[in-house]
Amino acid sequence: MPGTAATLPRPQGQARAAPQERRRRVAPLAAAPPARAGDEPLLRGIFEIDKRSCDVVLSARRLRWSPILPESPTGDSNVALQAQEEIIEMKDVFSVKLKRRRFAGQKKGGTLLGITIFKCLNKEENKLTDCAVHLNNLSEDHCQSWFRHLKEILNGFQNRPKSLKVFVNPSSHKREATHIYSEKVAPLFKLADIKTDVTVTEYEGHALSVLKECELQAFDGVVCVGGDGSVSEVAHGLLLRAQIDAGKDPDCVSKPVRAAVPLGVIPAGTTNVLAHTLYGIKHAVTATLHIVMGHIQAVDVCTFSTPSKLLRFGFSAMFGFGAQTLALAEKHRWMPSSQRRDFAFIKTLADLKPEECELSFLPLQIPQEDAREDRITLLYLGSKDQWQKIQGHFLNVSIMAIPCLCSMAPRGLAPNTRLNNGSMALIVVQNTSRTEFIKHLKRYTSVENQFNFPFVETYTVQEVKVQPRLKSGPDAKENMCLNAASAEGNYPWNIDGDLMKEASEVHVRVHPQLIDLYGVNTDDLESSQATCNCI
């Protein structure tokens, strides 16, 4: 009968035991707190786990088991109490399969051996892995009943994708994205019964073109396997598509609509800022399991626009040193990626020149409760509704809506902001000596405050306008060359690792929680460590 205990077959060749030897005592299940919703037992049965016969109980919240121990000849009940109950939380399970023995070349059928449960495990340093628990039982009816109940529980979890649109950038970093997807990502998607439609991009803008035309409603999410530039393109494409579907003109949208589906990031680039920020680590399996488990985090997004058009949806940008370095690296694409990055960094540092520009910004408005009047008021960091201006020579200007963690900046390029707090960090590095600037850069790799310098200013803002000042005079031509500006006076911007050149004023706005990304808030990761008791 479904849900009843099934007796494990006796191994062949083993003599039938005497009645007193056949008696077994089921180790009492650990005392549980008062039952909550989902704790009521759905099934109870016997399976062999780790070569031990176990009493197994399934509820909507968890799977737990205890070994069935021999009864003590002296009647000592302490023997049974020595057995430790083991538990799997069903929220950590992402797949269940019937386990069968098949001959070579046999694709269907086979001898049923039991059920295998696959769970997601948080090992250490934010790294996720998968492990399997084998519940062995040769009864077809018994296993089918358990299999159906387990599948029903898994199907009840929200946000877990069933169908994904996948973009793979084969040119990212060391051209390893295709290998990462086929060897580490695709097998987990298949194990979790997720259907995929894969596009291997062939040129810059390919993913954007596909997203504008594809049947996006057929997918539960979109995944990008690549570096920060590839992910930024896909995020931009998703948000651009959302504006088009909503009938909005993207070039004049002050309040854009949210992306229709979540975006997953599989790190296969050089710095992988988004992956580090979402997962706390560059690890393809960790990223994949966050997607499989449906861990979704709402994230703030910026719009970068000129007075006449939208340039980009993005998460972060740099103007000055960070953009000049990227512009120089892009001119040396023939170099290996790591050499190209180091060369561009050293060369730009050697030719360090400030950019003259005007910065206008609107400080963040913080909602606060006014207890005296029982209403919501706004606290402004600065004058109410008043833009503030800074004009001068700056070595670097960073505008970031997310912390931007990476291996070179473990605290983040903007450690004081968060994924979805509705603000941007404006970090302004004024002109200083090369020696002092290098000291500032070195601080990013440590736990020291990288902003504790007299030439560094930080602001928490809602909007920023950056207006470069074109040079004039005998040094103008040399300065434009060194700063990678074109003959037309276009200045480089580094937007999420993508190079963009623009001559006119760039207006940056933050839009709270405009897109859902598969991942977690890295502030919560340290408190979620666990150990595995199933492998």
Side-chain angles (χ1 to χ4, degrees), residues 49 57 59 77 111 164 179 201 262 307 382 490 499 511:
I49 303 175
V57 178
S59 70
S77 61
T111 303
L164 293 170
H179 174 77
T201 57
N490 289 334
L499 180 64
H511 304 278

Side-chain angles (χ1 to χ4, degrees), residues 52-236:
R52 298 181 299 176
S53 293
C54 296
D55 180 32
V56 186
V57 178
L58 174 68
S59 70
R61 293 172 59 90
R62 56 178 58 93
L63 180 75
R64 54 197 180 107
W65 65 90
S66 289
I68 301 174
L69 300 177
E71 184 173 320
S72 171
T74 61
D76 186 3
S77 61
N78 290 331
V79 176
L81 295 177
Q82 294 174 2
Q84 182 180 2
E85 180 189 55
E86 299 193 55
I87 296 175
I88 293 178
E89 298 290 338
M90 289 303 298
K91 64 180 178 62
D92 296 330
V93 176
F94 67 90
S95 181
V96 56
K97 301 290 183 183
L98 289 171
K99 180 181 176 183
R100 297 183 183 275
R101 179 188 293 118
R102 291 172 178 163
F103 297 107
Q106 184 180 1
K107 296 183 179 180
K108 294 183 179 181
T111 303
L112 180 68
L113 301 177
I115 298 171
T116 300
I117 293 173
F118 298 90
K119 65 169 288 190
C120 175
L121 175 73
N122 194 341
K123 294 287 280 186
E124 74 280 332
E125 296 181 351
N126 306 325
K127 185 179 294 185
L128 299 184
T129 187
D130 61 294
C131 69
V133 180
H134 302 285
L135 281 61
N136 299 318
N137 191 300
L138 303 185
S139 169
E140 185 85 31
D141 290 342
H142 187 64
C143 289
Q144 287 288 355
S145 175
W146 278 73
F147 179 76
R148 286 195 301 270
H149 277 81
L150 287 164
K151 290 290 286 186
E152 287 175 5
I153 294 172
L154 294 187
N155 290 335
F157 289 114
Q158 297 181 347
N159 299 329
R160 295 194 178 183
K162 301 297 181 185
S163 178
L164 293 170
K165 176 64 186 175
V166 180
F167 292 97
V168 179
N169 179 6
S171 301
S172 64
H173 192 36
K174 298 179 180 178
R175 302 181 181 273
E176 57 189 10
T178 304
H179 174 77
I180 288 174
Y181 179 75
S182 61
E183 296 297 321
K184 298 181 179 181
V185 180
L188 284 172
F189 284 166
K190 182 178 180 180
L191 187 60
D193 298 319
I194 298 175
K195 297 179 180 179
T196 57
D197 182 77
V198 181
T199 296
V200 179
T201 57
E202 300 175 359
Y203 53 88
E204 185 178 352
H206 188 181
L208 181 60
S209 300
V210 173
L211 285 169
K212 286 182 177 179
E213 304 295 335
C214 74
E215 298 291 333
L216 201 56
Q217 65 273 16
F219 304 104
D220 298 317
V222 174
V223 173
C224 179
V225 187
D228 289 323
S230 303
V231 175
S232 178
E233 179 183 328
V234 174
H236 174 67

Side-chain angles (χ1 to χ4, degrees), residues 432-443:
T432 187
S433 68
R434 183 181 294 105
T435 301
E436 289 298 302
F437 184 63
I438 291 174
K439 289 180 181 178
H440 162 64
L441 295 179
K442 284 184 174 180
R443 286 276 185 94

